[in-house]
Every structure is written in structure tokens, then in C-alpha cells.
Amino acid sequence: MKEISLTLFTYQIFNKQNIAESVFDSLSENGFLFTKMGVTEPLKVSYSREEAISLWCSETEGCYDIELEKMVGKAGNFMAKSPKSLFMGSQWWHCPNKKS
């Protein structure tokens, strides 16, 4: 099986709508089509561009800070797959008092 890996490093907030639109448009234009998506396995949500953008932009509590004894910042992820053994996974986090 062939594998393509892409790593993006950015100082921008990653879960913005314009970034999601650009990623999903580029994937579609290059023939990468997904059927299921979600944020946890098993992926049960039927793929649509609009729902993919919504999931990409969603966020939860970020990192646990031992000194503060609570969650700080934000984090998010997105997964999608196709019947042709194509899988996509994306994770991001923003921990304001830690290096990410």
C-alpha cells in the first residue's frame, strides 16, 4: 500500500474555515474522495464538504496543565476515510502556556 504523509507547521490557528475550505477543495480537485468522517473511530458520519468543514473547525478543551490542575487552551481533530483504503487524520492543539 502506498502512503502519503503531509505535515503542516503553522503559527496560525489551524481550525479556521478558510483553511478547511482550502484543504477540502484541494483534496477534491486531486481526486481524493471520502465516504465517512468523524472525530473518533468508528467513523459513522457520511461525508459532505459542509459537514467536514464544520468538524474541522470544531474544538474541545486543550491540554492539561499540572500546575493549574485544569484544562487550558483548545484542541481538535478530524478523520475521514474512503473505501479505497484512503485515510486522513488531522490533529491540532493550542496550549497558551506551553510550547506545542
Side-chain angles (χ1 to χ4, degrees):
M1 181 172 86
K2 294 181 181 179
E3 181 178 318
I4 299 171
S5 178
L6 171 67
T7 303
L8 302 174
F9 294 97
T10 179
Y11 289 110
Q12 296 181 0
I13 302 298
F14 195 67
N15 67 324
K16 296 296 181 194
Q17 183 167 342
N18 63 324
I19 293 174
E21 289 172 349
S22 178
V23 167
F24 292 115
D25 288 347
S26 294
L27 289 169
S28 178
E29 290 167 6
N30 288 286
F32 296 100
L33 305 174
F34 301 103
T35 55
K36 296 289 183 182
M37 64 183 176
V39 294
T40 60
E41 288 280 4
L43 303 179
K44 296 181 179 181
V45 179
S46 294
Y47 180 85
S48 74
R49 180 180 181 274
E50 295 75 24
E51 185 66 23
I53 291 169
S54 176
L55 284 174
W56 181 283
C57 294
S58 65
E59 59 188 23
T60 61
E61 292 182 327
C63 309
Y64 185 77
D65 187 303
I66 295 172
E67 294 169 2
L68 297 175
E69 296 182 351
K70 67 176 187 174
M71 299 296 281
V72 296
K74 298 291 179 185
N77 74 307
F78 175 85
M79 296 185 287
K81 65 182 177 181
S82 78
K84 295 182 180 181
S85 300
L86 175 64
F87 176 82
M88 174 187 174
S90 168
Q91 301 86 30
W92 65 270
W93 58 92
H94 174 69
C95 298
N97 55 348
K98 303 216 182 279
K99 292 183 179 179
S100 295

